[in-house]
Amino acid sequence: MLNLCTLTSLFLLSATPLPREDGLRLQEDNIPAIVQALTLEEKATLVVGGGFKSMLSGFLGEKGVRVPGAAGTTRAIPRLGIPSIVLSDGPAGVRIEPTRKRDKDKTFYATAFPTGTILACSWNQEMVEQVGRAMGNEALEYGIDVLLGPGMNLMRNPLCGRNFEYYSEDPVLSGRMAAAMIRGIQSQGVGTSAKHFALNNQETNRAGNDARVDETTARELYLKGFEIAVKEAQPWTVMSSYNKLNGEYTQSNRWLLTEVLRDEWGFEGLVMTDWTGRRNTGRQIAAGNDLMEPGLKSQIRELVSQVKKGKLAEKDLDICVTRILELIVKTPTFKGYAYSESPDLQAHAKLAREAAADGIVLLKNEGTLPLPKTIQEVAVFGVAGYQTCIGGTGSGTVHAPYAIQIPQALQAAGIRVSASIQAIYENYLQKKARKKRKASSMLGEAIPPEFALDAQALEEDRADMALFVIGRQAGEGGDRRLEDDFLLSDIERKNLKAVTTAYHRAGKKVIVVLNIGGVIETASWKDLADAIVVDWQPGQEGAAALVDILTGTVNPSGRLAMTFPIDYFDIPSSANFPYDSQGKGSMNTFRKVRDRGRRNVDFTEYAEGMDVGYRYFNRAGVPVSYPFGFGLSYTEFTRSEIQQAEESDGSVTVCVNVKNTGHAPGREVVMVYGDGVLKGFAKTRRLEPGETETVRIRIAPYLRPRSFLMVS
Ligand code: BGC
């Protein structure tokens, strides 16, 4: 509550500017002096972000906003030369407003890179680092200081609405991918924010849910990826999540933010909250949460009053202020970088295509791919075949300059597209577009639902092969549904049946393309398909990458970063993940979970412990539709026996010779397991038939297994 004294002092603060402290200005080496010179109000101002102005500038106007559409800022203290810095989403590329009212001649589109999931399926750390460099460069050239990514929560359950932003069900794969991304982005002199720390594995009631988990599980699964990212790449910042962890908000959890993150792992950077609003700000500061985002003025007043009343030690506030100043002095804004607002989008588009192709996973191939030369015309079925889902919705959206569509990419590769089928889908999409309200410029769009194909259309279609695209959209603020999402809808099933029946009757093949952000059910229908390709949510160039794979221009080398179960209820966390069979996703709603009789989601019991993903399926011997690490190639590889060497720093180096024994050039993924879990991995370069590469994989001391290492 504000009292009169506080109001008077704030008024006095704005009415009488403080002296310039004899010209004292923030420098890299005078942070302690600056902290001393700051008033209590100024310190409180520094730890509270600049509000929603930049994020909502599309609605509220651009006045006073440096980068419209950026997620947040910090507040400046001009008298001490402390600038405001700019924070922007997110994990698949820079999310800012693509056009500006004040600058109508220019555009500010950013490259929509492949989402986290498909990057992880590449198992290619160098590629991810390269993508990070390009993303970091776009952030730098658009005037951004910290890019709010990578998103790296573990895929505990396939229905989590934000899984598309995340990497894997395995913490080593997640941690390594995040570390590569952080290295890449930070190499450009801009910061990252590893998020959401931690246990934010669902969107349902995300701001109120209490993740109840035992310490071993927390450390070995849900925190391990963050530990790796911190130890291997030192992100400039970490974002504390919305949820609680064992009864305490992560944002005010001293054990998590100070004892584990800093004291044990050696994190040197700053912790900012997710975009929460006001909780107990003093408690957050005392726990080691340095910056409140997006920041409300009432939080500044709250902090001042808490210090004055002795409820918060000023020295705790000083620690957070120091970390904010340490962050600021590293930023391009502080260094006065003259950003161009014109990054090399063409070069980045090329990289986005390569990266997407690297992560596309071939699940099934019965003599169908690569497309033989006899295939001259392909019929594309499915709404997502014409409106590809390049990424998810919410803060992980990117305003891309364009998105290549599958027909366009096929035509560019010299393959005709069935005009009659194309006309049916395009007419449908045009009608939908006419009805659609103006899409939110901020958060991305849903793809329209499927419609039942009419039998006549199939009769008239004369293409040589069918591409049946199944699309899924999901995003921030809601989890996915079981029906019509994890499971195919009735319309999708009927359409798939109709297309496969017609094509197979004519002796032609059907390739199913999964344009999905997270796992869907495959076991009940996979026999119908001659080939199945998962192109995930692959970014703006994804359709071109897909066609590179279909034609064999690129040999598929993606491997699943997660398990595809046979049945949703085979997954142990299905017993307590708050899924809704029919409900619609909405921000922070309590879902009524009819099927399991669960009425609220105040808490989620992580009762399955370590039984997440392949750890469970392998241990319990439960069959799956496609296992973790699975993916086919157009060539074959053999591996030698492994050699292990102990290094003086306590790490182990594993060496394996990988030989391409098939007939097409290609890349292979080598995974090293110890104690039954992934310990390290690497991807070979493109090996010509007959060529061998010695792959070296280092297992850090803190990841060393007790039992023997195995290679897969
Ligand atoms: C999301 C974060 C994001 C932030 C800023 C939040 O709602 O959870 O991932 O960085 O918004 O847009």
Side-chain angles (χ1 to χ4, degrees), residues 30-46:
N30 71 354
I31 290 175
I34 295 286
V35 177
Q36 255 205 326
L38 286 163
T39 65
L40 174 59
E41 284 77 5
E42 286 172 331
K43 290 175 187 172
T45 301
L46 272 177

Side-chain angles (χ1 to χ4, degrees), residues 266-285:
F267 175 60
E268 293 162 5
L270 163 146
V271 176
M272 70 175 83
T273 62
D274 199 342
W275 265 233
T276 315
R278 186 169 158 195
R279 284 177 171 161
N280 183 334
T281 316
R283 201 172 162 79
Q284 291 169 317
I285 292 286

